[in-house]
Amino acid sequence: MTSAPSRGRGRRRVGLVRFAATVVTDYAFVWRVHLVPRSGRVVPARWRHGDRAPVLLLPGVYETWRHLRVIGERLSDLGHPVVVVPGMRHNRQPIPATAEAAQRILDAHDLRGVVVVAHSKGGLVGKSMMVGTDVERRIDRMVAINSPFSGTRWSRVLPNPALRAFSPSDAALLQLAEQREANARVTSMASRFDAHVTEGSVLPGAVNVTFPVDGHFRPLGNPGCVDMVVAAVEGGELGSDGDALSAGDSAP
């Protein structure tokens, strides 16, 4: 019998003002991503180079690699080759198909010791790779940001097929949740409140970390949160009890 995934801390209830402020700051970041000039929509050639652990960027649904660009730039500056998956478009394909496409990139370039940096749906894709497609164990670990490991109730009320995979009762999501052998290699980072993933992103057996900001997208561009993501990739110490040891809350 299939059991429901862990809810971690459970749903967070906040007031209307905080909810609205979270959505506004979230989509201010999203619009900045979409309004970049055409020249900024090309993967930087220098991302191909580096002598440290390769990093695979996996964005969320209706996102592109550019949503993770700030993090990618920082990691490239530190000497990590940064890899994206061509043809993901806006990551609307089923999770298994996307995992297979991403795996082909790792296999084709014989990448090893890979660190996945994933946002939202990207975390589900990354875990699917770790427990399924990555038979040669090219992936060392994953840093997931606001990923709906327990689903989100919004998938039940929004009439969008691309979001139905995030239903807390989805069979594939439940099956992925039961496969816990890879969780110890995951750092799951989540905002104090996420209006998109209200169930939270706590992953049993993983290192669970809380950002000192609200928002689903905001951590992707917030300097303090980006510092935390980079520290996790670099192997920096973060609280295993779900709290960050240190981080500043900078402007969105």
Side-chain angles (χ1 to χ4, degrees):
M1 181 176 180
T2 302
S3 59
S6 169
R7 300 289 179 214
R9 293 185 176 86
R11 295 177 181 172
R12 296 291 303 275
R13 295 184 180 276
V14 300
L16 181 59
V17 172
R18 184 176 177 185
F19 184 94
T22 300
V23 172
V24 168
T25 54
D26 258 350
Y27 284 93
F29 172 80
V30 171
W31 277 108
R32 287 200 298 272
V33 171
H34 285 298
L35 294 176
V36 297
R38 186 173 296 275
S39 60
R41 301 180 185 184
V42 178
V43 179
R46 65 185 180 85
W47 280 17
R48 303 171 190 168
H49 309 290
D51 56 5
R52 303 188 68 181
V55 173
L56 172 66
L57 299 183
L58 293 177
V61 67
Y62 291 113
E63 299 175 30
T64 70
W65 66 269
R66 290 185 288 112
H67 287 75
L68 293 164
R69 182 167 194 149
V70 176
I71 296 170
E73 292 283 9
R74 283 283 304 279
L75 293 170
S76 175
D77 289 343
L78 290 170
H80 295 273
V82 179
V83 182
V84 304
V85 182
M88 278 188 73
R89 298 184 182 272
H90 290 85
N91 198 4
R92 291 177 293 175
Q93 296 299 310
I95 291 169
T98 307
E100 290 173 1
Q103 189 66 51
R104 285 195 292 270
I105 298 299
L106 303 189
D107 294 344
H109 295 279
D110 194 26
L111 298 177
R112 297 183 184 276
V114 176
V115 181
V116 176
V117 175
H119 178 242
S120 195
K121 178 185 177 182
L124 301 179
V125 174
K127 184 177 175 184
S128 182
M129 295 173 70
M130 294 169 78
V131 303
T133 63
D134 190 28
V135 294
E136 295 187 28
R137 197 154 175 169
R138 298 179 182 277
I139 297 172
D140 181 57
R141 52 201 170 87
M142 177 170 69
V143 178
I145 304 164
N146 286 330
S147 290
F149 292 115
S150 297
T152 173
R153 58 180 170 173
W154 292 115
S155 66
R156 293 170 170 167
V157 298
L158 295 175
N160 189 323
L163 301 179
R164 290 175 188 162
F166 310 139
S167 169
S169 59
D170 180 78
L173 183 67
L174 291 168
Q175 183 179 30
L176 187 63
E178 288 183 337
Q179 296 175 286
R180 298 191 177 191
E181 61 271 23
N183 291 7
R185 295 190 285 136
V186 177
T187 299
S188 182
M189 312 184 81
S191 300
R192 293 177 307 196
F193 170 69
D194 183 345
H196 293 70
V197 185
T198 52
E199 279 73 8
S201 300
V202 171
L203 185 65
V207 175
N208 292 287
V209 179
T210 303
F211 290 124
V213 301
D214 294 341
H216 187 66
F217 299 100
R218 185 182 179 191
L220 304 181
N222 177 278
C225 296
V226 172
D227 285 346
M228 292 173 65
V229 174
V230 171
V233 172
E234 295 277 276
E237 292 186 358
L238 292 167
S240 60
D241 59 353
D243 296 316
L245 294 180
S246 64
D249 185 3
S250 304

